Amino acid sequence: MNFFADNWAHLLEWLSYSERILPSLLKGGRITLLVFALTLVLALPLGLIFGLMRISKWKPIKWFASAYIWVLRGTPLLLQLYFVYYGLPSMGITMDGITSAVVAFTLNYAAYFAEIYRGGIQSIDRGQYEAAKALGYTGGQTMWKIIIPQTLSRIIPPITNETITLVKDTALITAISVSELLRAAKGAVNRDLDTTAFLLAALLYLFFTLILTIIFKFTEKRFSRHIRRES
C-alpha cells in the first residue's frame, strides 16, 4: 500500500508542477505557431515564384533562381538566421527577433518549396501542354488552369514533410533569444532543475505535427477527388 500511495503522491506532485509551468510553455508555443504560420503563408507563394523562374526560358532569370536556391539550400538555416539578426544591422537594416526569424525562415523554405514546385511541374506529361495548345490556350493559361492544379495534387506529400520540418525548425529561434516553446521549456528546466518541461514541450510539438498531418491528408484527398472529377 505504501508503494502505491507513494507513487500516487509523486504523480499528483508531477501533475501539479506540470499545471504550473504549462502556461509559460503555451505562451512560447504561441510564438512558435506565429513564426510557423507567417513563414508558411509567405514561403509557399514565394517558392512558387522561384520554382517558375527556375524553369523559365529566360536564362538570366533561370540563373538567378538557381543561384538563390543553391545558396539557401546549401547553407545552414541557423547561419542564415544569424546573418539576418546580427548581420543586417551592420548594413542599417534592423529587425526584432520574430521578424528576423520570419524573414530567414521564409527565404530558406521558399528555396526548398521552389524545388518541390519545379519537380511537380516538370512531372506533368508533355501531352498536357500539347492538348492545351490545341485548345487555343496561351502559355500562361496552360500553366495556371491545367498544369498548376495537377502539380498541387502531386506535391502535397513533400510539402507536408517540409511543413512538419518547419514546425521543428522553429526551435532554432531560441538562438536569437526569442521566447518560443523550446526557450520557455529550457528556462523552466534551468530554474527548477526538472526536465518535465522538456517532456511537455515534446508533447506540444507532437500535437502540432499531428494536426498538420491530419490537415494535409484531408487536403490531399480533396485535391485527388477534384483532379479525378476534372479528368
Side-chain angles (χ1 to χ4, degrees):
M1 289 294 292
N2 288 336
F3 173 80
F4 290 108
D6 289 343
N7 279 278
W8 179 251
H10 285 310
L11 177 60
L12 290 178
E13 183 181 349
W14 182 83
L15 290 173
S16 177
Y17 174 71
S18 299
E19 187 178 0
R20 289 200 306 272
I21 66 173
L22 191 57
S24 64
L25 296 182
L26 291 176
K27 184 177 179 181
R30 286 197 293 270
I31 300 299
T32 292
L33 291 178
L34 175 64
V35 172
F36 163 78
L38 290 175
T39 298
L40 197 63
V41 167
L42 296 172
L44 282 172
L46 184 61
L48 177 58
I49 292 171
F50 276 103
L52 293 173
M53 291 171 64
R54 181 78 168 75
I55 59 176
S56 173
K57 294 180 180 179
W58 296 353
K59 288 189 176 180
I61 292 178
K62 183 176 182 178
W63 289 341
F64 173 77
S66 298
Y68 171 86
I69 292 169
W70 175 65
V71 170
L72 271 295
R73 294 181 72 201
T75 55
L77 175 55
L78 183 59
L79 179 62
Q80 297 164 23
L81 184 60
Y82 280 150
F83 175 78
V84 173
Y85 187 68
Y86 295 112
L88 290 184
S90 65
M91 305 175 191
I93 304 173
T94 304
M95 293 177 281
D96 61 41
I98 293 178
T99 304
S100 297
V102 171
V103 169
F105 276 55
T106 297
L107 294 175
N108 179 273
Y109 271 83
Y112 285 92
F113 288 149
E115 283 297 273
I116 292 174
Y117 283 123
R118 179 192 62 79
I121 291 171
Q122 292 183 332
S123 71
I124 304 299
D125 186 81
R126 296 302 303 178
Q128 300 281 344
Y129 293 88
E130 295 168 3
K133 187 176 181 180
L135 291 171
Y137 281 36
T138 65
Q141 290 174 328
T142 300
M143 183 61 67
W144 292 107
K145 293 185 177 181
I146 298 177
I147 304 303
I148 294 297
Q150 294 183 69
T151 297
L152 291 177
S153 67
R154 297 187 181 192
I155 66 173
I156 288 177
I159 289 287
T160 302
N161 292 336
E162 288 298 328
T163 302
I164 290 174
T165 300
L166 172 58
V167 173
K168 295 178 289 185
D169 277 350
T170 56
L172 292 175
I173 64 178
T174 191
I176 57 172
S177 301
V178 175
S179 297
E180 45 69 65
L181 177 55
L182 182 60
R183 187 175 179 84
K186 186 177 179 181
V189 171
N190 290 339
R191 182 188 66 241
D192 303 326
L193 300 179
D194 188 319
T195 57
T196 297
F198 285 151
L199 174 61
L200 294 177
L203 292 175
L204 285 172
Y205 280 118
L206 287 172
F207 176 73
F208 295 156
T209 56
L210 174 63
I211 295 301
L212 287 172
T213 301
I214 293 172
I215 291 172
F216 276 107
K217 281 187 177 296
F218 174 77
T219 305
E220 185 176 2
K221 288 181 181 178
R222 289 295 299 270
F223 263 106
S224 297
R225 290 174 190 163
H226 177 72
I227 294 299
R228 284 198 295 269
R229 284 200 300 268
E230 291 294 320
S231 300

